[in-house]
Amino acid sequence: DAGVIQSPRHEVTEMGQEVTLRCKPISGHDYLFWYRQTMMRGLELLIYFNNNVPIDDSGMPEDRFSAKMPNASFSTLKIQPSEPRDSAVYFCASNSNGQGWAEQFFGPGTRLTVL
Amino acid sequence: AQRVTQPEKLLSVFKGAPVELKCNYSYSGSPELFWYVQYSRQRLQLLLRHISRESIKGFTADLNKGETSFHLKKPFAQEEDSAMYYCALRGHTDKLIFGTGTRLQVFP
């Protein structure tokens, strides 16, 4: 298994543009998490899904951010319009709590730069 | 409220010196505590969990409920230990609450 897959790995865009980040979780995992990593705030949970249903989106900064999970093997995080303060590394992680413990498996991250 | 505090952004030591990365948490129930590590150019990965009471790569962490702490320790640091370390808490939901992380630098 290739693990959690994220694309693109790097994204540079201009303020006001729409950005879409993609994630493919590990097959069989029923939980998917989106995080944002910055120097100042560390690793922040944005939203997580269970069986494709959003469970907790309290970490989503504002209405400019949205996330979807149309099926068990794909999720997107969209920022529209993007702003320079959105520049960060965005991680996707997945796990299966059916295993009885909560290790999360992380993707390589998408480094977003908004100019 | 659930919260994880890592007071040090950067910890620098020389090879062979003892290391302690501090982690304090706030949670009213019985939490699960974890340490995750991110080596340069690698994915964030689980280092250890308090329920396993194991030593991984020479690191140990003991949950102290009285002090609400879960400090990560290693008696003799190695250069390959240089990385970003995150303490995380899982409460009554399925999500992890991470601290802001501590960068460990081990000099030769």
Side-chain angles (χ1 to χ4, degrees):
Chain A
D1 195 332
V4 175
I5 298 173
Q6 290 186 248
S7 65
R9 295 292 307 277
H10 302 272
E11 177 80 30
V12 180
T13 190
E14 293 187 344
M15 182 173 64
Q17 296 298 306
E18 177 180 295
V19 175
T20 299
L21 311 181
R22 297 172 176 81
C23 175
K24 182 182 188 308
I26 292 173
S27 177
H29 283 185
D30 52 359
Y31 284 82
L32 185 140
F33 305 83
W34 281 102
Y35 292 92
R36 178 171 66 177
Q37 183 188 46
T38 61
M39 288 288 292
M40 291 301 297
R41 301 172 69 92
L43 203 60
E44 302 173 279
L45 177 66
L46 300 177
I47 185 172
Y48 79 96
F49 297 82
N50 177 217
N51 291 321
N52 313 336
V53 176
I55 303 300
D56 185 345
D57 65 353
S58 59
M60 296 285 263
E62 48 197 272
D63 292 345
R64 298 186 297 105
F65 285 69
S66 62
K68 295 182 180 180
M69 192 164 185
N71 57 63
S73 59
F74 183 65
S75 178
T76 60
L77 177 67
K78 185 176 295 186
I79 308 172
Q80 166 63 18
S82 58
E83 296 182 2
R85 59 187 167 133
D86 302 330
S87 297
V89 180
Y90 291 82
F91 289 101
C92 177
S94 70
N95 74 358
S96 174
N97 275 353
Q99 295 179 7
W101 49 287
E103 177 178 2
Q104 292 186 12
F105 296 86
F106 283 77
T110 295
R111 183 174 296 276
L112 173 65
T113 302
V114 183
L115 303 175
Chain B
Q2 301 176 49
R3 185 177 301 160
V4 176
T5 302
Q6 293 180 250
E8 303 142 327
K9 280 196 174 294
L10 175 65
L11 182 63
S12 299
V13 300
F14 285 102
K15 176 183 174 181
V19 169
E20 182 179 66
L21 287 82
K22 291 183 169 50
C23 172
N24 289 90
Y25 67 90
S26 174
Y27 182 65
S28 57
S30 294
E32 293 180 34
L33 274 298
F34 305 82
W35 277 98
Y36 279 75
V37 61
Q38 187 176 24
Y39 300 102
S40 179
R41 297 186 179 86
Q42 293 188 29
R43 303 184 182 206
L44 191 65
Q45 58 189 281
L46 178 68
L47 180 62
L48 54 78
R49 300 169 289 154
H50 90 271
I51 59 174
S52 300
R53 302 183 67 81
E54 56 197 345
S55 174
I56 303 293
K57 299 184 178 182
F59 284 98
T60 59
D62 293 319
L63 178 60
N64 186 322
K65 292 187 177 181
E67 296 182 357
T68 60
S69 69
F70 188 57
H71 303 329
L72 184 67
K73 301 177 183 179
K74 185 170 183 177
F76 307 102
Q78 302 300 313
E79 291 180 67
E80 55 265 30
D81 296 328
S82 296
M84 193 74 177
Y85 291 81
Y86 288 96
C87 181
L89 174 152
R90 182 188 184 212
H92 60 280
T93 67
D94 297 308
K95 65 183 183 182
L96 289 178
I97 306 298
F98 284 87
T100 51
T102 298
R103 179 166 298 282
L104 174 64
Q105 290 182 332
V106 182
F107 295 109

